Amino acid sequence: MSRVTIRVQAEAFDSAHETTALLAGQTEVGGVGAFTGFVRGGGGLVALELEHYPGMTETMMRQIAESACTRFGLVGCTIIHRVGRLAVGMPIVLVLCASAHRGGALGATEFMMDWLKTHAPFWKREEFADGSTAWVAPRACDDAATARWGTLGA
Amino acid sequence: MSRVTIRVQAEAFDSAHETTALLAGQTEVGGVGAFTGFVRGGGGLVALELEHYPGMTETMMRQIAESACTRFGLVGCTIIHRVGRLAVGMPIVLVLCASAHRGGALGATEFMMDWLKTHAPFWKREEFADGSTAWVAPRACDDAATARWGTLGA
Amino acid sequence: MLRILYFAWLRDRLGRPGETLPLPPGVDSVAGLISQLHARGGAYAEIFGRPELIRVAVNQSFATNAATIAANDEIAFFPPVTGG
Amino acid sequence: MLRILYFAWLRDRLGRPGETLPLPPGVDSVAGLISQLHARGGAYAEIFGRPELIRVAVNQSFATNAATIAANDEIAFFPPVTGG
């Protein structure tokens, strides 16, 4: 059984702490792939407001994580996604994948990020210095990246 | 100019601290890709002894890092590689890549690991529970992974 | 009762996070429900007249407009997701 | 003087981490140096008789057996690397 951790939270996460938890008691891990997403500044952006669909979000995150574990033979993986208002420079999402080899760890990290971006029900609203707001539009390249993987099932 | 940090050291590294240093003062980072390699247990392995070629190692690590920055348009990257005796479960190598978008961050992480595995002059000697030792043989799949990238120059 | 949820700019535009209503007679699919909502006019007509802009989940799973729905289902309408 | 370095199992097998020696007369390439080392016999013959097992760096850059060498160069012989 792979060790899967899924969390939606307003608070910041501590990636070192999460990595320690993921690896606790494991001796057959050769590598951990990780991705941390941040609120990127520019164009007068001040913050993002992150909304989600409670219930469905966790279901989709678990499905994505379990699919990655099966497909890449992971020892375990972790997805933490924040919600609420996040200022420029703040971390939004953490993905960790532990595997015997680096190929699986890094491949699974990409796989999970691609599916999260396109199939986890989160929405971002931008808040600008002039007080205006705008919902972020999806990017076609995210759909294209996800399409590489076929279906979510392994 | 991309921010490049290269280090060969016996001591453990603190990936949270290194990530903070990589991102300090940057606001245009959308994602950080990371890979941490560990001493994988199994088959009676107790520890690895890591040897390197001082001077050439740092030159190659810098060349790999700078090539990744150019090729993937990174904001910056960090490579820390440990040497000396490392017990099962201990971290060996850390790669961090900061980029505007996740594609570049994760692609660069793979790129740097592939080149490190095949072109940075480190050698591992395994130490087993029965006292025997053996130099680790290179894996053909590492060469194949590196060949995907063409030459090291961008 | 059907539980209908609206997220992101759909909720902003419609001015509500959701509603409950009895399964309308003759409606047994997402497409049927979309027609009913569209017939309300106003912001509903604007949004549900352009189904290519919206995504649907039935009982918290992504669904197509052809998906069947039943009394007591939870139906969510929202724009393409932008998390991660 | 040439500075020659041996790493990993080459150093173990040869029993030394390196040596310095004058550029042998007539030697102007890595291949020429390998022939000289091979001619010593013993562990040198074993190792340098199988150049496919070894990698070479000249002045801390990867080099082929065809690379030219000059007095005062640093030449390193080692097995394929296994770090990361």
Side-chain angles (χ1 to χ4, degrees):
Chain A
M1 265 310 279
S2 305
R3 179 178 297 175
V4 169
T5 301
I6 293 302
R7 246 160 40 230
V8 178
Q9 63 188 38
E11 310 79 53
F13 44 75
D14 175 339
S15 66
H17 175 83
E18 299 301 334
T19 305
T20 302
L22 177 61
L23 297 180
Q26 304 285 6
T27 55
E28 308 259 327
V29 172
V32 173
F35 181 81
T36 311
F38 294 87
V39 182
R40 187 176 69 254
L45 187 75
V46 171
L48 291 179
E49 177 79 33
L50 270 130
E51 175 180 338
H52 78 301
Y53 180 176
M56 181 172 171
T57 311
E58 291 82 353
T59 304
M60 285 307 301
M61 285 166 73
R62 183 161 297 278
Q63 213 170 305
I64 290 166
E66 285 174 353
S67 174
C69 285
T70 305
R71 191 185 279 243
F72 295 93
L74 300 182
V75 171
C77 66
T78 299
I79 311 177
I80 302 177
H81 203 299
R82 295 175 72 187
V83 290
R85 187 176 185 279
L86 299 171
V88 165
M90 293 296 102
I92 305 171
V93 61
L94 174 69
V95 161
L96 298 174
C97 298
S99 175
H101 297 285
R102 79 182 183 290
L106 288 172
T109 304
E110 268 192 88
F111 174 91
M112 294 213 287
M113 284 306 305
D114 285 346
W115 283 97
L116 274 176
K117 284 264 178 191
T118 53
H119 288 78
F122 291 96
W123 300 275
K124 289 179 182 137
R125 194 178 52 180
E126 297 173 313
E127 181 190 318
F128 296 97
D130 65 5
S132 65
T133 63
W135 289 96
V136 172
R139 302 192 309 163
C141 63
D142 287 332
D143 286 325
T146 310
R148 294 181 295 167
W149 304 109
T151 58
L152 183 54
Chain B
M1 265 310 278
S2 305
R3 179 177 297 174
V4 170
T5 301
I6 293 301
R7 249 166 30 236
V8 177
Q9 62 188 39
E11 310 79 52
F13 44 77
D14 175 339
S15 65
H17 174 83
E18 299 301 333
T19 305
T20 303
L22 177 61
L23 297 181
Q26 304 284 5
T27 55
E28 308 258 326
V29 172
V32 173
F35 181 80
T36 310
F38 294 88
V39 182
R40 187 176 70 255
L45 186 76
V46 171
L48 292 179
E49 177 79 31
L50 269 129
E51 175 180 338
H52 77 302
Y53 179 176
M56 181 172 173
T57 311
E58 291 83 354
T59 303
M60 286 308 301
M61 285 166 75
R62 182 159 299 275
Q63 212 171 306
I64 291 165
E66 286 175 354
S67 175
C69 285
T70 305
R71 192 185 277 243
F72 295 92
L74 300 183
V75 171
C77 67
T78 299
I79 311 176
I80 302 176
H81 203 300
R82 295 175 72 188
V83 290
R85 187 176 184 277
L86 299 171
V88 165
M90 293 297 102
I92 304 172
V93 60
L94 173 69
V95 161
L96 298 174
C97 299
S99 175
H101 297 285
R102 79 181 183 291
L106 288 171
T109 305
E110 268 191 89
F111 174 90
M112 294 212 288
M113 284 307 306
D114 285 346
W115 283 99
L116 273 175
K117 285 263 178 192
T118 53
H119 288 77
F122 291 97
W123 300 274
K124 291 181 181 134
R125 194 178 50 182
E126 298 173 314
E127 180 189 318
F128 296 97
D130 64 5
S132 65
T133 63
W135 288 96
V136 171
R139 302 191 311 161
C141 62
D142 287 331
D143 286 323
T146 309
R148 293 181 296 165
W149 304 109
T151 57
L152 181 54
Chain C
M1 300 286 275
L2 280 186
R3 201 149 74 97
I4 306 185
L5 303 174
Y6 306 116
F7 290 98
W9 61 257
L10 272 72
R11 183 201 51 235
D12 289 355
R13 205 75 67 79
L14 297 175
R16 64 204 301 192
E19 56 187 301
T20 54
L21 77 176
L23 186 64
V27 167
D28 63 355
S29 71
V30 169
L33 179 61
I34 286 176
S35 294
Q36 289 274 331
L37 294 167
H38 180 255
R40 289 176 175 178
Y44 289 90
E46 268 175 48
I47 288 172
F48 292 102
R50 301 189 60 189
E52 74 280 11
L53 294 184
I54 57 185
R55 301 292 177 267
V56 187
V58 174
N59 297 325
Q60 307 195 350
S61 285
F62 282 103
T64 64
N65 289 357
T68 57
I69 59 176
N72 304 318
D73 278 353
E74 177 175 299
I75 319 292
F77 295 104
F78 46 76
V81 306
T82 57
Chain D
M1 297 286 274
L2 280 186
R3 200 149 76 95
I4 307 184
L5 303 173
Y6 306 116
F7 290 99
W9 60 257
L10 271 72
R11 184 202 47 235
D12 289 356
R13 204 76 65 81
L14 298 174
R16 64 204 302 193
E19 57 186 301
T20 53
L21 77 175
L23 185 64
V27 168
D28 63 357
S29 71
V30 169
L33 180 61
I34 287 176
S35 293
Q36 288 275 332
L37 294 168
H38 180 255
R40 290 176 176 178
Y44 289 89
E46 267 173 47
I47 288 173
F48 292 100
R50 302 189 58 192
E52 75 280 8
L53 294 184
I54 55 185
R55 300 291 177 270
V56 186
V58 175
N59 298 325
Q60 307 196 352
S61 285
F62 282 103
T64 63
N65 289 357
T68 57
I69 61 177
N72 304 318
D73 278 352
E74 177 175 300
I75 319 291
F77 294 104
F78 46 77
V81 306
T82 57

